[in-house]
Amino acid sequence: NFYSDISLPGRLAERAEASAAPFFPTLPFGGVLRKLAREGVKKAPSFLGLPPKHDERECLRDLEERRKLVGRLFERVDRFIAPSKFLADRLKQAGLPREKLLVSDYGFADGLKAAPKISSLPLRVGYVGTLVPHKGLHVLVEAFAHLKGVPAKLSLFGDPGAFPSYTALLRAKAKNLPVSFEGGFDPARRTEILSKVDLLVLPSIWWENSPLTIHEAFLAKIPVLVPRLGAFPELVREEIDGLFYEPGDPRSLAAQIRDFCESKNLRNKLRPDPSRVKAIEKDADWTIRLYEELRSIR
C-alpha cells in the first residue's frame, strides 16, 4: 500500500482528503459528508481511467515477477554488499548464494560535527526523517500521551507534505501534547538540526537495515532510542549508544523516555562513539579493492 500511495492518483487522493478534512466538522452532517467524500476519492481514479490506488491481485503478481527477476539477478552479479548482518541473513533466506554476499556498513564523511548540547530540562526528543506510516511516528506521538508531567518535548523534522493524510493524523494525535512539527530542511543544515536534539528516536514499525540517521546521530554524539527490531540490535549498544523499547508499543517507548529524562546518571552514561562510524574514505578503499579483485578474476 505504501508504494501504491506514491502513484499520482494515490497522492492526489491523499492531498484532497487531507485538505478537506478541517472543513467537515463545521458542516451539517459533516461525518456523513466526509464518508461520502472519502468513497468518492477512492472511486475517482477508476472514473478518470487512472490505475486504482490499491489492487492486491496486481500487487501480488508484481511481487512474484520481482522474485523471479531477483533470482536471475543473483546469477548475474559476482558480489552483493549488505550494510547489516540482518539484511544479509534475509538475502540468504531469499536464495542469494552465501559465497556472493559480503557485509559492509556505509561510510560517512566527517562533515557532521558534534554540536554543543544543553543539558538542562525539558528534554528535547527528536525525529529526523520522512513523515510516513512505516516509520512509526504515530507510536512516538502516542508515547507522549503517556508522559503527562514529564519535562520532555518532541520535535518532528520532516516534510509534512510528503504524505499529507498521515501528517493530518499525527497532528490530530498530537493535539494538546508538547509536540511540534518543524517541517523539512536542507541536508546542509543537518548539524544545526541535530544540535536541537538530546535524544533521537527512530520509532520504525518495519525492518530497518542500517539507517543513515543512526550513524549521523553517533557522529553528533547523540544517543538514540529504537525498537528491538531489524538491524537496530547490531547497530546500537544498549546503555552505551542508546536504549531499546518493545516495537510498536507506545507505553514501552514512553517508559524509556521517562527514565532517560528523570535519570541524570543515565543521560551521562549514554555516550555514542563517533569513531565507530566508518569513514567514507575507508569505505571507498574497501570497495575499490573488491572491484580490482573481481576484475582480476574476470
Side-chain angles (χ1 to χ4, degrees):
N1 286 352
F2 165 66
Y3 291 104
S4 299
D5 287 344
I6 295 177
S7 66
L8 177 61
R11 293 295 292 277
L12 290 175
E14 291 248 336
R15 289 183 181 278
E17 186 175 351
S19 299
F23 299 102
F24 286 114
T26 64
L27 298 173
F29 307 104
V32 175
L33 289 173
R34 182 170 186 170
K35 185 176 181 180
L36 290 172
R38 187 183 298 117
E39 291 302 312
V41 163
K42 288 180 180 178
K43 302 291 184 186
S46 57
F47 178 77
L48 296 172
L50 297 169
K53 188 176 180 183
H54 303 298
D55 186 335
E56 292 183 5
R57 289 172 299 179
E58 186 66 27
C59 183
L60 288 172
R61 284 194 292 269
D62 287 345
L63 288 171
E64 178 60 20
E65 182 62 24
R66 182 181 188 277
R67 189 188 65 79
K68 293 176 183 177
L69 289 170
V70 167
R72 292 197 287 272
L73 185 67
F74 286 169
E75 298 173 2
R76 294 173 52 196
V77 176
D78 294 311
R79 293 291 183 276
F80 289 84
I81 303 168
S84 66
K85 182 179 180 297
F86 170 80
L87 180 58
D89 290 342
R90 296 297 304 173
L91 288 169
K92 284 185 283 189
Q93 291 175 29
L96 179 60
R98 184 184 300 268
E99 64 275 10
K100 289 190 172 189
L101 184 59
L102 300 169
V103 177
S104 180
D105 204 353
Y106 307 121
F108 283 77
D110 63 359
L112 188 67
K113 301 296 184 183
K117 298 294 183 297
I118 300 173
S119 58
S120 60
L121 296 176
L123 178 73
R124 303 173 302 171
V125 180
Y127 168 84
V128 179
T130 310
L131 307 186
V132 65
H134 61 263
K135 292 293 186 179
L137 275 303
H138 52 285
V139 178
L140 178 54
V141 172
E142 287 168 16
F144 268 76
H146 300 290
L147 290 171
K148 299 286 177 62
V150 176
K153 61 180 182 178
L154 172 62
S155 298
L156 303 177
F157 296 93
D159 180 7
F163 288 83
S165 66
Y166 184 61
T167 301
L169 170 70
L170 294 176
R171 289 188 187 277
K173 286 181 177 292
K175 189 175 181 180
N176 299 323
L177 295 177
V179 178
S180 62
F181 292 78
E182 303 293 338
F185 58 92
D186 188 317
R189 294 179 57 219
R190 212 74 169 182
T191 297
E192 175 195 340
I193 297 301
L194 290 174
S195 72
K196 301 176 181 179
V197 174
D198 301 314
L199 178 67
L200 188 77
V201 183
L202 286 81
S204 294
I205 56 175
W206 76 343
W207 291 329
E208 294 279 5
N209 297 317
S210 186
L212 307 185
T213 314
I214 280 193
H215 301 77
E216 292 171 344
F218 289 169
L219 287 171
K221 298 183 179 179
I222 299 173
V224 298
L225 177 52
V226 295
R228 209 176 292 276
L229 186 71
F232 285 137
E234 67 183 272
L235 291 171
V236 180
R237 300 172 298 174
E238 192 163 16
E239 296 197 358
I240 298 176
D241 304 314
L243 300 169
F244 288 90
Y245 70 93
E246 292 305 310
D249 186 346
R251 290 183 182 273
S252 174
L253 176 52
Q256 292 290 51
I257 294 174
R258 182 182 293 107
D259 288 349
F260 187 84
C261 186
E262 295 178 350
S263 173
K264 188 173 182 180
N265 288 337
L266 182 58
R267 294 201 299 274
N268 291 333
K269 183 179 180 181
L270 299 183
R271 299 287 183 182
D273 180 4
S275 68
R276 292 185 65 234
V277 180
K278 187 196 300 182
I280 199 166
E281 294 83 3
K282 184 177 179 180
D283 192 25
D285 290 342
W286 181 87
T287 306
I288 291 170
R289 285 197 303 272
L290 173 62
Y291 180 79
E292 295 294 349
E293 174 191 328
L294 294 173
R295 193 173 69 162
S296 66
I297 294 172
R298 283 293 184 94

